[in-house]
Every structure is written in C-alpha cells, then in structure tokens.
PDB file of all heavy atoms in Angstrom:
ATOM      1  N   GLY A 804       8.432   6.152  -3.812  1.00  0.00           N
ATOM      2  CA  GLY A 804       9.042   5.160  -2.934  1.00  0.00           C
ATOM      3  C   GLY A 804      10.483   4.884  -3.307  1.00  0.00           C
ATOM      4  O   GLY A 804      11.378   4.844  -2.442  1.00  0.00           O
ATOM      5  N   PHE A 805      10.738   4.704  -4.603  1.00  0.00           N
ATOM      6  CA  PHE A 805      12.119   4.478  -5.063  1.00  0.00           C
ATOM      7  C   PHE A 805      12.991   5.694  -4.779  1.00  0.00           C
ATOM      8  O   PHE A 805      14.145   5.563  -4.353  1.00  0.00           O
ATOM      9  CB  PHE A 805      12.136   4.158  -6.563  1.00  0.00           C
ATOM     10  CG  PHE A 805      11.762   2.739  -6.887  1.00  0.00           C
ATOM     11  CD1 PHE A 805      10.706   2.461  -7.740  1.00  0.00           C
ATOM     12  CD2 PHE A 805      12.474   1.675  -6.344  1.00  0.00           C
ATOM     13  CE1 PHE A 805      10.351   1.147  -8.045  1.00  0.00           C
ATOM     14  CE2 PHE A 805      12.138   0.356  -6.633  1.00  0.00           C
ATOM     15  CZ  PHE A 805      11.077   0.091  -7.490  1.00  0.00           C
ATOM     16  N   ALA A 806      12.446   6.887  -5.026  1.00  0.00           N
ATOM     17  CA  ALA A 806      13.212   8.116  -4.812  1.00  0.00           C
ATOM     18  C   ALA A 806      13.607   8.290  -3.350  1.00  0.00           C
ATOM     19  O   ALA A 806      14.676   8.839  -3.040  1.00  0.00           O
ATOM     20  CB  ALA A 806      12.396   9.330  -5.274  1.00  0.00           C
ATOM     21  N   TYR A 807      12.765   7.790  -2.448  1.00  0.00           N
ATOM     22  CA  TYR A 807      13.065   7.920  -1.027  1.00  0.00           C
ATOM     23  C   TYR A 807      14.068   6.860  -0.552  1.00  0.00           C
ATOM     24  O   TYR A 807      14.623   6.962   0.538  1.00  0.00           O
ATOM     25  CB  TYR A 807      11.773   7.822  -0.205  1.00  0.00           C
ATOM     26  CG  TYR A 807      11.938   8.289   1.218  1.00  0.00           C
ATOM     27  CD1 TYR A 807      12.082   9.648   1.514  1.00  0.00           C
ATOM     28  CD2 TYR A 807      11.975   7.385   2.270  1.00  0.00           C
ATOM     29  CE1 TYR A 807      12.261  10.087   2.815  1.00  0.00           C
ATOM     30  CE2 TYR A 807      12.143   7.804   3.581  1.00  0.00           C
ATOM     31  CZ  TYR A 807      12.289   9.160   3.848  1.00  0.00           C
ATOM     32  OH  TYR A 807      12.457   9.588   5.145  1.00  0.00           O
ATOM     33  N   GLY A 808      14.294   5.852  -1.394  1.00  0.00           N
ATOM     34  CA  GLY A 808      15.286   4.834  -1.040  1.00  0.00           C
ATOM     35  C   GLY A 808      14.709   3.487  -0.678  1.00  0.00           C
ATOM     36  O   GLY A 808      15.434   2.583  -0.242  1.00  0.00           O
ATOM     37  N   TYR A 809      13.379   3.302  -0.854  1.00  0.00           N
ATOM     38  CA  TYR A 809      12.775   2.008  -0.554  1.00  0.00           C
ATOM     39  C   TYR A 809      13.104   1.006  -1.655  1.00  0.00           C
ATOM     40  O   TYR A 809      13.185   1.371  -2.829  1.00  0.00           O
ATOM     41  CB  TYR A 809      11.251   2.126  -0.435  1.00  0.00           C
ATOM     42  CG  TYR A 809      10.779   2.938   0.749  1.00  0.00           C
ATOM     43  CD1 TYR A 809       9.610   3.709   0.660  1.00  0.00           C
ATOM     44  CD2 TYR A 809      11.466   2.944   1.954  1.00  0.00           C
ATOM     45  CE1 TYR A 809       9.159   4.457   1.736  1.00  0.00           C
ATOM     46  CE2 TYR A 809      11.022   3.680   3.034  1.00  0.00           C
ATOM     47  CZ  TYR A 809       9.870   4.441   2.917  1.00  0.00           C
ATOM     48  OH  TYR A 809       9.436   5.171   3.986  1.00  0.00           O
ATOM     49  N   ASN A 810      13.247  -0.253  -1.267  1.00  0.00           N
ATOM     50  CA  ASN A 810      13.458  -1.290  -2.289  1.00  0.00           C
ATOM     51  C   ASN A 810      12.093  -1.778  -2.788  1.00  0.00           C
ATOM     52  O   ASN A 810      11.066  -1.481  -2.175  1.00  0.00           O
ATOM     53  CB  ASN A 810      14.310  -2.445  -1.738  1.00  0.00           C
ATOM     54  CG  ASN A 810      13.653  -3.144  -0.549  1.00  0.00           C
ATOM     55  OD1 ASN A 810      12.461  -3.447  -0.569  1.00  0.00           O
ATOM     56  ND2 ASN A 810      14.441  -3.405   0.491  1.00  0.00           N
ATOM     57  N   PRO A 811      12.070  -2.550  -3.893  1.00  0.00           N
ATOM     58  CA  PRO A 811      10.781  -2.974  -4.472  1.00  0.00           C
ATOM     59  C   PRO A 811       9.882  -3.734  -3.494  1.00  0.00           C
ATOM     60  O   PRO A 811       8.669  -3.532  -3.482  1.00  0.00           O
ATOM     61  CB  PRO A 811      11.206  -3.868  -5.638  1.00  0.00           C
ATOM     62  CG  PRO A 811      12.538  -3.344  -6.037  1.00  0.00           C
ATOM     63  CD  PRO A 811      13.198  -2.927  -4.760  1.00  0.00           C
ATOM     64  N   SER A 812      10.476  -4.596  -2.664  1.00  0.00           N
ATOM     65  CA  SER A 812       9.664  -5.371  -1.725  1.00  0.00           C
ATOM     66  C   SER A 812       9.014  -4.481  -0.673  1.00  0.00           C
ATOM     67  O   SER A 812       7.855  -4.693  -0.295  1.00  0.00           O
ATOM     68  CB  SER A 812      10.527  -6.432  -1.033  1.00  0.00           C
ATOM     69  OG  SER A 812      10.970  -7.384  -1.970  1.00  0.00           O
ATOM     70  N   LYS A 813       9.753  -3.488  -0.194  1.00  0.00           N
ATOM     71  CA  LYS A 813       9.211  -2.544   0.798  1.00  0.00           C
ATOM     72  C   LYS A 813       8.032  -1.774   0.200  1.00  0.00           C
ATOM     73  O   LYS A 813       6.982  -1.603   0.836  1.00  0.00           O
ATOM     74  CB  LYS A 813      10.314  -1.570   1.230  1.00  0.00           C
ATOM     75  CG  LYS A 813       9.860  -0.403   2.081  1.00  0.00           C
ATOM     76  CD  LYS A 813       9.589  -0.805   3.507  1.00  0.00           C
ATOM     77  CE  LYS A 813       9.380   0.420   4.385  1.00  0.00           C
ATOM     78  NZ  LYS A 813       9.001   0.067   5.764  1.00  0.00           N
ATOM     79  N   ILE A 814       8.187  -1.321  -1.045  1.00  0.00           N
ATOM     80  CA  ILE A 814       7.115  -0.579  -1.729  1.00  0.00           C
ATOM     81  C   ILE A 814       5.888  -1.473  -1.886  1.00  0.00           C
ATOM     82  O   ILE A 814       4.753  -1.050  -1.642  1.00  0.00           O
ATOM     83  CB  ILE A 814       7.595  -0.059  -3.103  1.00  0.00           C
ATOM     84  CG1 ILE A 814       8.675   1.014  -2.904  1.00  0.00           C
ATOM     85  CG2 ILE A 814       6.431   0.512  -3.915  1.00  0.00           C
ATOM     86  CD1 ILE A 814       9.386   1.432  -4.178  1.00  0.00           C
ATOM     87  N   ALA A 815       6.125  -2.734  -2.293  1.00  0.00           N
ATOM     88  CA  ALA A 815       5.007  -3.678  -2.479  1.00  0.00           C
ATOM     89  C   ALA A 815       4.273  -3.917  -1.164  1.00  0.00           C
ATOM     90  O   ALA A 815       3.035  -3.934  -1.121  1.00  0.00           O
ATOM     91  CB  ALA A 815       5.523  -4.995  -3.054  1.00  0.00           C
ATOM     92  N   ASP A 816       5.038  -4.107  -0.062  1.00  0.00           N
ATOM     93  CA  ASP A 816       4.413  -4.325   1.244  1.00  0.00           C
ATOM     94  C   ASP A 816       3.553  -3.136   1.660  1.00  0.00           C
ATOM     95  O   ASP A 816       2.426  -3.297   2.152  1.00  0.00           O
ATOM     96  CB  ASP A 816       5.496  -4.569   2.318  1.00  0.00           C
ATOM     97  CG  ASP A 816       6.104  -5.967   2.231  1.00  0.00           C
ATOM     98  OD1 ASP A 816       5.449  -6.852   1.629  1.00  0.00           O
ATOM     99  OD2 ASP A 816       7.219  -6.161   2.742  1.00  0.00           O
ATOM    100  N   LEU A 817       4.089  -1.936   1.484  1.00  0.00           N
ATOM    101  CA  LEU A 817       3.345  -0.717   1.849  1.00  0.00           C
ATOM    102  C   LEU A 817       2.102  -0.561   0.987  1.00  0.00           C
ATOM    103  O   LEU A 817       1.025  -0.189   1.481  1.00  0.00           O
ATOM    104  CB  LEU A 817       4.244   0.517   1.698  1.00  0.00           C
ATOM    105  CG  LEU A 817       5.367   0.668   2.719  1.00  0.00           C
ATOM    106  CD1 LEU A 817       6.301   1.804   2.316  1.00  0.00           C
ATOM    107  CD2 LEU A 817       4.788   0.939   4.109  1.00  0.00           C
ATOM    108  N   PHE A 818       2.262  -0.848  -0.308  1.00  0.00           N
ATOM    109  CA  PHE A 818       1.132  -0.694  -1.231  1.00  0.00           C
ATOM    110  C   PHE A 818      -0.012  -1.629  -0.851  1.00  0.00           C
ATOM    111  O   PHE A 818      -1.180  -1.227  -0.794  1.00  0.00           O
ATOM    112  CB  PHE A 818       1.587  -0.975  -2.667  1.00  0.00           C
ATOM    113  CG  PHE A 818       0.659  -0.419  -3.714  1.00  0.00           C
ATOM    114  CD1 PHE A 818       0.904   0.805  -4.294  1.00  0.00           C
ATOM    115  CD2 PHE A 818      -0.464  -1.140  -4.109  1.00  0.00           C
ATOM    116  CE1 PHE A 818       0.043   1.326  -5.250  1.00  0.00           C
ATOM    117  CE2 PHE A 818      -1.335  -0.629  -5.061  1.00  0.00           C
ATOM    118  CZ  PHE A 818      -1.076   0.613  -5.630  1.00  0.00           C
ATOM    119  N   VAL A 819       0.335  -2.890  -0.556  1.00  0.00           N
ATOM    120  CA  VAL A 819      -0.691  -3.873  -0.178  1.00  0.00           C
ATOM    121  C   VAL A 819      -1.353  -3.476   1.140  1.00  0.00           C
ATOM    122  O   VAL A 819      -2.584  -3.575   1.288  1.00  0.00           O
ATOM    123  CB  VAL A 819      -0.073  -5.290  -0.072  1.00  0.00           C
ATOM    124  CG1 VAL A 819      -1.060  -6.265   0.546  1.00  0.00           C
ATOM    125  CG2 VAL A 819       0.345  -5.783  -1.456  1.00  0.00           C
ATOM    126  N   ALA A 820      -0.562  -3.006   2.090  1.00  0.00           N
ATOM    127  CA  ALA A 820      -1.117  -2.585   3.389  1.00  0.00           C
ATOM    128  C   ALA A 820      -2.093  -1.419   3.207  1.00  0.00           C
ATOM    129  O   ALA A 820      -3.165  -1.386   3.819  1.00  0.00           O
ATOM    130  CB  ALA A 820       0.011  -2.180   4.331  1.00  0.00           C
ATOM    131  N   GLY A 821      -1.726  -0.470   2.343  1.00  0.00           N
ATOM    132  CA  GLY A 821      -2.610   0.681   2.087  1.00  0.00           C
ATOM    133  C   GLY A 821      -3.888   0.274   1.388  1.00  0.00           C
ATOM    134  O   GLY A 821      -4.975   0.753   1.725  1.00  0.00           O
ATOM    135  N   ALA A 822      -3.765  -0.625   0.411  1.00  0.00           N
ATOM    136  CA  ALA A 822      -4.952  -1.106  -0.302  1.00  0.00           C
ATOM    137  C   ALA A 822      -5.877  -1.866   0.645  1.00  0.00           C
ATOM    138  O   ALA A 822      -7.106  -1.750   0.566  1.00  0.00           O
ATOM    139  CB  ALA A 822      -4.526  -1.997  -1.468  1.00  0.00           C
ATOM    140  N   LYS A 823      -5.277  -2.625   1.568  1.00  0.00           N
ATOM    141  CA  LYS A 823      -6.058  -3.400   2.531  1.00  0.00           C
ATOM    142  C   LYS A 823      -6.927  -2.482   3.405  1.00  0.00           C
ATOM    143  O   LYS A 823      -8.050  -2.823   3.746  1.00  0.00           O
ATOM    144  CB  LYS A 823      -5.104  -4.219   3.405  1.00  0.00           C
ATOM    145  CG  LYS A 823      -5.722  -5.460   4.029  1.00  0.00           C
ATOM    146  CD  LYS A 823      -4.739  -6.158   4.950  1.00  0.00           C
ATOM    147  CE  LYS A 823      -3.595  -6.774   4.173  1.00  0.00           C
ATOM    148  NZ  LYS A 823      -2.639  -7.484   5.072  1.00  0.00           N
ATOM    149  N   ASP A 824      -6.368  -1.336   3.762  1.00  0.00           N
ATOM    150  CA  ASP A 824      -7.113  -0.373   4.598  1.00  0.00           C
ATOM    151  C   ASP A 824      -8.331   0.203   3.880  1.00  0.00           C
ATOM    152  O   ASP A 824      -9.209   0.797   4.516  1.00  0.00           O
ATOM    153  CB  ASP A 824      -6.195   0.779   5.024  1.00  0.00           C
ATOM    154  CG  ASP A 824      -5.166   0.340   6.054  1.00  0.00           C
ATOM    155  OD1 ASP A 824      -5.393  -0.703   6.695  1.00  0.00           O
ATOM    156  OD2 ASP A 824      -4.145   1.037   6.209  1.00  0.00           O
ATOM    157  N   MET A 825      -8.360   0.066   2.550  1.00  0.00           N
ATOM    158  CA  MET A 825      -9.439   0.649   1.755  1.00  0.00           C
ATOM    159  C   MET A 825     -10.571  -0.333   1.458  1.00  0.00           C
ATOM    160  O   MET A 825     -11.492   0.003   0.719  1.00  0.00           O
ATOM    161  CB  MET A 825      -8.887   1.168   0.416  1.00  0.00           C
ATOM    162  CG  MET A 825      -7.891   2.303   0.529  1.00  0.00           C
ATOM    163  SD  MET A 825      -8.656   3.824   1.139  1.00  0.00           S
ATOM    164  CE  MET A 825      -7.915   3.926   2.754  1.00  0.00           C
ATOM    165  N   ILE A 826     -10.506  -1.540   2.016  1.00  0.00           N
ATOM    166  CA  ILE A 826     -11.523  -2.559   1.693  1.00  0.00           C
ATOM    167  C   ILE A 826     -12.928  -2.079   2.022  1.00  0.00           C
ATOM    168  O   ILE A 826     -13.857  -2.198   1.211  1.00  0.00           O
ATOM    169  CB  ILE A 826     -11.215  -3.888   2.421  1.00  0.00           C
ATOM    170  CG1 ILE A 826      -9.982  -4.546   1.790  1.00  0.00           C
ATOM    171  CG2 ILE A 826     -12.407  -4.841   2.343  1.00  0.00           C
ATOM    172  CD1 ILE A 826      -9.495  -5.788   2.510  1.00  0.00           C
ATOM    173  N   PHE A 827     -13.105  -1.516   3.211  1.00  0.00           N
ATOM    174  CA  PHE A 827     -14.430  -1.037   3.614  1.00  0.00           C
ATOM    175  C   PHE A 827     -14.950   0.004   2.620  1.00  0.00           C
ATOM    176  O   PHE A 827     -16.091  -0.059   2.164  1.00  0.00           O
ATOM    177  CB  PHE A 827     -14.356  -0.433   5.021  1.00  0.00           C
ATOM    178  CG  PHE A 827     -15.677   0.081   5.535  1.00  0.00           C
ATOM    179  CD1 PHE A 827     -16.578  -0.774   6.164  1.00  0.00           C
ATOM    180  CD2 PHE A 827     -16.027   1.417   5.389  1.00  0.00           C
ATOM    181  CE1 PHE A 827     -17.797  -0.301   6.642  1.00  0.00           C
ATOM    182  CE2 PHE A 827     -17.236   1.900   5.859  1.00  0.00           C
ATOM    183  CZ  PHE A 827     -18.122   1.037   6.486  1.00  0.00           C
ATOM    184  N   ALA A 828     -14.092   0.968   2.279  1.00  0.00           N
ATOM    185  CA  ALA A 828     -14.490   2.036   1.364  1.00  0.00           C
ATOM    186  C   ALA A 828     -14.798   1.504  -0.030  1.00  0.00           C
ATOM    187  O   ALA A 828     -15.773   1.924  -0.670  1.00  0.00           O
ATOM    188  CB  ALA A 828     -13.378   3.084   1.283  1.00  0.00           C
ATOM    189  N   ALA A 829     -13.972   0.573  -0.510  1.00  0.00           N
ATOM    190  CA  ALA A 829     -14.157   0.044  -1.864  1.00  0.00           C
ATOM    191  C   ALA A 829     -15.431  -0.786  -1.976  1.00  0.00           C
ATOM    192  O   ALA A 829     -16.163  -0.694  -2.971  1.00  0.00           O
ATOM    193  CB  ALA A 829     -12.944  -0.796  -2.261  1.00  0.00           C
ATOM    194  N   LEU A 830     -15.719  -1.587  -0.959  1.00  0.00           N
ATOM    195  CA  LEU A 830     -16.918  -2.434  -1.003  1.00  0.00           C
ATOM    196  C   LEU A 830     -18.199  -1.614  -0.886  1.00  0.00           C
ATOM    197  O   LEU A 830     -19.224  -1.943  -1.486  1.00  0.00           O
ATOM    198  CB  LEU A 830     -16.865  -3.481   0.115  1.00  0.00           C
ATOM    199  CG  LEU A 830     -15.825  -4.604  -0.034  1.00  0.00           C
ATOM    200  CD1 LEU A 830     -15.879  -5.519   1.179  1.00  0.00           C
ATOM    201  CD2 LEU A 830     -16.061  -5.399  -1.311  1.00  0.00           C
ATOM    202  N   ILE A 831     -18.140  -0.538  -0.126  1.00  0.00           N
ATOM    203  CA  ILE A 831     -19.351   0.220   0.145  1.00  0.00           C
ATOM    204  C   ILE A 831     -19.887   0.898  -1.117  1.00  0.00           C
ATOM    205  O   ILE A 831     -21.089   1.113  -1.269  1.00  0.00           O
ATOM    206  CB  ILE A 831     -19.102   1.252   1.270  1.00  0.00           C
ATOM    207  CG1 ILE A 831     -20.387   1.447   2.075  1.00  0.00           C
ATOM    208  CG2 ILE A 831     -18.570   2.570   0.748  1.00  0.00           C
ATOM    209  CD1 ILE A 831     -20.166   2.086   3.424  1.00  0.00           C
ATOM    210  N   VAL A 832     -18.987   1.210  -2.052  1.00  0.00           N
ATOM    211  CA  VAL A 832     -19.411   1.816  -3.324  1.00  0.00           C
ATOM    212  C   VAL A 832     -20.308   0.843  -4.081  1.00  0.00           C
ATOM    213  O   VAL A 832     -21.339   1.227  -4.642  1.00  0.00           O
ATOM    214  CB  VAL A 832     -18.176   2.190  -4.179  1.00  0.00           C
ATOM    215  CG1 VAL A 832     -18.604   2.729  -5.538  1.00  0.00           C
ATOM    216  CG2 VAL A 832     -17.320   3.219  -3.458  1.00  0.00           C
TER     217      VAL A 832
END
C-alpha cells in the first residue's frame, strides 16, 4: 500500500473493509 502511494489512513480504511468482508468466513470456522 505504501509503495503504491497510499497514505496510512487509506491503508487502514482498506484493511478494515477487507477484514469486514471476511466476517462470515471467520465465524463459520
């Protein structure tokens, strides 16, 4: 993310959004 030019807040937002999409998968385990 840093290498592509994203700032820390942008990376954090993307990371949280991606983790959120995994809730169903994580709970099912």
Side-chain angles (χ1 to χ4, degrees):
F805 281 123
Y807 195 73
Y809 293 147
N810 61 45
S812 294
K813 171 76 170 175
I814 293 170
D816 285 340
L817 289 171
F818 199 96
V819 170
K823 204 184 291 181
D824 288 340
M825 296 293 110
I826 289 174
F827 180 85
L830 290 178
I831 212 162
V832 176

